Amino acid sequence: MGTNRLTQLRETSPNGFSLVEVMVSFLFLTVASLALLQGFELAFRHYSLAQSHWKVTVELWNRIEQLRANPSTQEEVLQIFPAARPLYRTVVSIPGRAEHSGWEVLRAEK
Amino acid sequence: MQKNKGFSLVEMMIALLISTILFLAFFSIVSQFQIWSSNLNLLMERDANVWLAPLLLSRWITPAGNNRWNQNWSGVAVQTGRIEINSDIHGPQGFPDSELSASFEALVLRCSKSNLRVKSGSGSFQPLIKNIADFEVDSENMPLISVRLKAVTDRPLFVLTENLSESTEFLFFLRNYRLNLFSEDPR
Amino acid sequence: MMSPARGFSLITAIMLVLLMTSLALFLHLRITTQWKMATNVESQLYSLVLAENGIEYARTLLPHVELNSLLQGLDGEHSGTHDPEWRSPMPFREARRIDPSAWIPSSDDGLPAYNTQSLLAKGYRAEGNGYFFLRFSNNPEETAEYDEDHIVLVRSLGIVPNQLRDPFFPEVRNNVALIEARFRQERVFSVPSPLTLFGDSGFFDWQDEQFSVEGGEEFGVSLVSVSQSTLYQNLVDSLSIAQQERIRGQGAAPSIRDASPAYISERIYQSLFKPDFWNHFLAQLPKFVDGLTGGIAFLPDGGVLQTSFSGILVARGDLILQDRAEVEGLLLHLGAGSLVLKDEAEIAGGVWMSNLDSTGEVLKSRPLSLRVSGSPAIRYDRAAIRKALTYFPPTQLGWRILFPETVQ
């Protein structure tokens, strides 16, 4: 019965129309805000991804600097020609960070 | 006419109730939105400069001490919270000229007023990287130098109480301090 | 009739949503920028790592190459210095936009090569789609075409192709780093005779007449004085007529020359007269040894060698080569103690003897001591000496990063 009155009101009164309109607007706003919040969460996630990417980069850099200062024994030997002293090759990567390809390091023996 | 009025009151009450709920929901979302946005901005501000630190520092620190033999200056001097870097890396002909004449050849780095500051030659300290609360340099493992930066946000974040300072360590191997079998003395 | 207020709430809501959307877009842009920055820092740092890999490659190659051939390139002609960035593998501008896999050098001067074979004709492709390119050039104190001081510059260019293109700089495709290192390939021990004696006096004991010092086209013995020297007299007095015949070179016997003027005048040898040279060399030597089978070996307290050795053998104290001991390369006997050559010991290459006091500001010489018995032989072998010298790593005299604004 109320619905009928409402329908009647919508058809006859501009005041009644505003109520529905406000409700629709709020609904729209809420849905839009929720979507944006989702977007924000995504933005946060992207940002922390960028942050961790940078941290991995710094870790890779630090490992390489350490390797240059204190050579490791687990390096592949590259012989640039048979008589040459060995050139040591290592691919430095961070375990579990597949998205970050390893960095190649060459190091002369002496 | 009277019926219409009575119906409007009920309608108004329902409308008010719904509006209040919706307003509350909406404003809580908006305030959350604002908090997140503001926090993210603060974090991004904190990181924007710090993320460039490895590039800037590697370019200055790794070639430290270039062409220092037979000169009256040392390549690297480390004190608490401060590093002095001298590298003759440029001259009028594009090659080292045994003088620390270019602006980037004699540098001092230290931290003050939440900024990592750099002093070039006899100039004054200028801000280099913002949002840096602490700067430590360790030369114990020379020629490997460790630089620690503690980055902070401009102001505390909203709502979140966790510690938002971010400490990062960078290692730099000083290439001009690599061991040589023969003396580096320019003959 | 419709009220003018109709649609106000909706419009307000839409405007609010628009406002929030624009905020979100702004944040998205900032996050994208930060992401780009993180990626860019990664590529920039990796290009620096790659450029340094090139310097390490050059460090390995340098002891094996003849610098003047290297500077001229495989075509044997230096192409000149017209391009302002001729010392670099390629100009910065080109490095930023090329496809590194399709690089063709404009000139072959200074490109890495060994025994007429180009080594990195297309650069070195590393893990993660990175590259480095190398070029050697003569140090600016000398002409571009000819090296005399054994000092050379090497520039290594690291390139990491951009993963994210910048719409504002579409021509910039690569992250680039350029490093220049200055190396000196040591030739101070490139001895001119099978036996080179660096000092002012010596004690020589030749017990038999079966030994042999064979210089071939060179003098048998070269003497280098540090100051007032009686070395020549000490040597000649110690040899009988028959023994003098055992020191041959340039078709004559005895073949002994005073090499002091050559050592004093030639720049590469001048450091031998400085105490700092010896102090540094002896202090660092233990950190550069390979072992007693070959390469660089150091016997600080002397010892007995009965087997074969190939490379550079440095000894102090009494060193005895006996039985069928064989040394191919260089034997440096430094400091007090005697060098004793016995039985059928053989050295193919050269022997250097010095006994120096490098504690003061001026280098002082102390008597040398050489004892020879049986039928040992010292045969001058230029190729063996050259090979042995390749075990000495290049001395790094400088290392700097170059930028487009500072490169020349």
Side-chain angles (χ1 to χ4, degrees):
Chain A
M1 183 157 163
T3 313
N4 288 341
R5 299 291 283 171
L6 204 64
T7 314
Q8 193 187 347
L9 263 169
R10 198 175 293 148
E11 283 163 0
T12 56
S13 160
N15 295 338
F17 196 87
S18 285
L19 171 70
V20 176
E21 191 205 345
V22 166
M23 286 172 69
V24 169
S25 305
F26 271 114
L27 200 68
F28 170 60
L29 208 54
T30 312
V31 170
S33 303
L34 280 171
L36 277 171
L37 271 181
Q38 284 287 317
F40 253 94
E41 222 180 303
L42 204 70
F44 255 116
R45 240 181 298 154
H46 269 152
Y47 188 66
S48 54
L49 208 67
Q51 243 179 351
S52 74
H53 194 89
W54 180 79
K55 281 180 186 166
V56 171
T57 300
V58 171
E59 200 178 331
L60 279 173
W61 170 265
N62 286 350
R63 281 198 193 183
I64 287 170
E65 292 297 275
Q66 256 170 338
L67 190 67
R68 298 237 191 251
N70 309 300
S72 138
T73 49
Q74 296 177 328
E75 294 170 288
E76 183 192 333
V77 173
L78 274 188
Q79 209 70 42
I80 61 174
F81 48 85
R85 273 192 179 270
L87 184 65
Y88 294 107
R89 175 184 181 272
T90 316
V91 177
V92 180
S93 57
I94 309 291
R97 306 307 298 257
E99 83 279 5
H100 215 295
S101 66
W103 283 4
E104 183 169 335
V105 187
L106 298 184
R107 189 181 60 78
E109 190 187 39
K110 287 178 196 281
Chain B
M1 178 88 171
Q2 270 178 347
K3 265 188 183 176
N4 273 354
K5 270 182 184 173
F7 199 82
S8 287
L9 178 67
V10 175
E11 259 189 353
M12 272 307 286
M13 284 172 73
I14 295 166
L16 272 173
L17 185 72
I18 294 168
S19 300
T20 312
I21 293 166
L22 287 174
F23 258 113
L24 281 173
F26 173 70
F27 279 111
S28 77
I29 289 168
V30 167
S31 73
Q32 194 67 33
F33 190 93
Q34 197 204 348
I35 287 167
W36 283 23
S37 149
S38 167
N39 285 354
L40 195 56
N41 260 320
L42 281 169
L43 286 175
M44 282 194 287
E45 256 177 54
R46 182 196 69 183
D47 293 343
N49 286 308
V50 180
W51 286 12
L52 291 175
L55 278 184
L56 286 172
L57 297 178
S58 64
R59 285 167 182 192
W60 285 344
I61 297 178
T62 53
N66 193 47
N67 199 28
R68 70 183 183 283
W69 300 284
N70 293 352
Q71 311 288 355
N72 57 1
W73 39 266
S74 66
V76 172
V78 174
Q79 289 151 11
T80 313
R82 177 187 161 104
I83 181 169
E84 193 180 320
I85 307 156
N86 294 315
S87 317
D88 174 21
I89 46 181
H90 195 57
Q93 306 302 316
F95 291 95
D97 59 350
S98 299
E99 281 179 32
L100 301 176
S101 46
S103 60
F104 44 80
E105 291 185 312
L107 300 168
V108 182
L109 291 169
R110 69 168 175 145
C111 183
S112 78
K113 294 177 190 163
S114 291
N115 278 312
L116 179 65
R117 289 167 189 270
V118 62
K119 182 166 84 87
S120 164
S122 54
S124 58
F125 279 97
Q126 303 295 326
L128 174 71
I129 304 178
K130 283 185 0 176
N131 301 93
I132 302 296
D134 200 16
F135 173 68
E136 283 173 41
V137 188
D138 185 351
S139 60
E140 202 179 314
N141 299 317
M142 272 287 275
L144 193 67
I145 281 214
S146 152
V147 172
R148 268 192 209 89
L149 292 182
K150 186 177 168 192
V152 290
T153 49
D154 267 341
R155 53 190 159 79
L157 300 200
F158 291 106
V159 185
L160 299 175
T161 51
E162 62 197 88
N163 178 17
L164 283 155
S165 63
E166 180 86 36
S167 288
T168 315
E169 183 185 27
F170 306 104
L171 298 177
F172 299 106
F173 173 52
L174 306 184
R175 271 60 175 184
N176 285 304
Y177 284 79
R178 186 185 170 118
L179 290 181
N180 279 314
L181 176 55
F182 291 95
S183 159
E184 300 90 352
D185 190 0
R187 290 163 202 169
Chain C
M1 211 178 107
M2 283 171 68
S3 151
R6 277 179 86 178
F8 175 76
S9 305
L10 195 59
I11 287 168
T12 312
I14 288 170
M15 283 181 74
L16 274 168
V17 169
L18 274 177
L19 185 78
M20 289 196 296
T21 311
S22 61
L23 247 170
L25 271 176
F26 173 70
L27 273 174
H28 171 77
L29 269 176
R30 277 203 67 173
I31 287 167
T32 311
T33 312
Q34 294 275 96
W35 175 259
K36 271 187 188 170
M37 191 197 281
T39 316
N40 198 40
V41 167
E42 181 198 358
S43 302
Q44 278 289 331
L45 286 176
Y46 190 34
S47 66
L48 201 60
V49 169
L50 290 171
E52 183 156 20
N53 286 352
I55 300 291
E56 293 296 293
Y57 190 101
R59 199 190 291 278
T60 306
L61 171 64
L62 206 50
H64 300 272
V65 293
E66 203 284 300
L67 286 183
N68 285 315
S69 306
L70 185 75
L71 297 177
Q72 289 167 357
L74 291 174
D75 66 358
E77 270 183 43
H78 199 274
S79 307
T81 58
H82 314 295
D83 187 331
E85 293 182 51
W86 66 274
R87 291 178 186 277
S88 306
M90 68 186 91
F92 255 107
R93 184 191 287 260
E94 186 185 344
R96 280 185 169 157
R97 64 159 197 267
I98 61 154
D99 170 6
S101 63
W103 176 65
I104 297 168
S106 57
S107 136
D108 70 349
D109 299 349
L111 294 183
Y114 176 69
N115 275 352
T116 70
Q117 289 288 310
S118 176
L119 286 174
L120 294 174
K122 290 185 173 292
Y124 180 98
R125 183 170 181 175
E127 194 81 16
N129 199 25
Y131 291 80
F132 71 73
F133 300 88
L134 283 183
R135 196 186 291 278
F136 295 85
S137 62
N138 206 3
N139 52 315
E141 295 81 12
E142 293 188 320
T143 60
E145 301 86 1
Y146 192 70
D147 168 77
E148 274 184 298
D149 59 9
H150 303 289
I151 296 175
V152 73
L153 303 184
V154 56
R155 285 193 182 172
S156 175
L157 187 84
I159 296 184
V160 177
N162 252 344
Q163 287 154 11
L164 302 167
R165 293 282 165 82
D166 192 329
F168 297 107
F169 299 98
E171 77 280 7
V172 177
R173 307 206 308 194
N174 307 321
N175 280 296
V176 174
L178 181 62
I179 296 177
E180 179 190 278
R182 185 181 164 104
F183 288 120
R184 181 173 57 218
Q185 191 53 47
E186 301 297 342
R187 293 282 185 260
V188 283
F189 292 118
S190 132
V191 291
S193 295
L195 182 59
T196 303
L197 306 174
F198 188 85
D200 294 334
S201 63
F203 168 77
F204 302 96
D205 179 15
W206 315 88
Q207 289 187 359
D208 296 296
E209 293 170 359
Q210 306 306 311
F211 71 88
S212 159
V213 177
E214 181 58 62
E217 291 175 359
E218 305 297 335
F219 282 94
V221 179
S222 284
L223 306 177
V224 186
S225 317
V226 178
S227 56
Q228 295 291 319
S229 177
T230 58
L231 196 56
Y232 180 81
Q233 210 54 49
N234 297 154
L235 179 62
V236 172
D237 290 350
S238 68
L239 292 159
S240 67
I241 300 293
Q243 285 169 334
Q244 286 184 10
E245 292 298 314
R246 306 301 298 172
I247 298 178
R248 291 184 293 264
Q250 294 196 324
S255 173
I256 304 170
R257 72 143 177 178
D258 180 12
S260 308
Y263 267 74
I264 291 166
S265 62
E266 278 199 43
R267 231 175 112 188
I268 61 160
Y269 295 129
Q270 284 170 7
S271 56
L272 289 166
F273 297 91
K274 296 178 183 172
D276 282 351
F277 169 85
W278 292 100
N279 292 336
H280 184 101
F281 177 67
L282 291 169
Q284 298 301 324
L285 186 60
K287 297 166 195 158
F288 286 84
V289 294
D290 293 301
L292 281 173
T293 50
I296 302 175
F298 182 39
L299 299 169
D301 302 313
V304 180
L305 187 76
Q306 292 168 294
T307 52
S308 299
F309 175 86
S310 173
I312 300 168
L313 178 62
V314 187
R316 308 185 83 178
D318 291 335
L319 175 70
I320 302 165
L321 267 67
Q322 64 182 35
D323 298 337
R324 296 180 70 86
E326 275 181 331
V327 172
E328 187 191 4
L330 274 171
L331 195 162
L332 310 180
H333 187 263
L334 313 173
S338 295
L339 173 62
V340 182
L341 305 178
K342 291 166 75 173
D343 308 330
E344 292 173 54
E346 189 179 338
I347 298 161
V351 176
W352 165 280
M353 287 186 74
S354 59
N355 180 11
L356 302 164
D357 175 2
S358 56
T359 52
E361 283 189 16
V362 178
L363 197 67
K364 287 178 189 158
S365 166
R366 288 175 177 157
L368 307 173
S369 175
L370 174 66
R371 295 170 194 274
V372 178
S373 61
S375 55
I378 310 175
R379 188 166 39 84
Y380 190 69
D381 186 333
R382 195 185 299 274
I385 294 170
R386 192 179 295 144
K387 187 184 166 201
L389 287 172
T390 64
Y391 290 111
F392 282 145
T395 305
Q396 184 183 290
L397 305 176
W399 190 102
R400 59 181 186 144
I401 303 173
L402 291 166
F403 302 99
E405 312 80 50
T406 55
V407 70
Q408 265 182 41

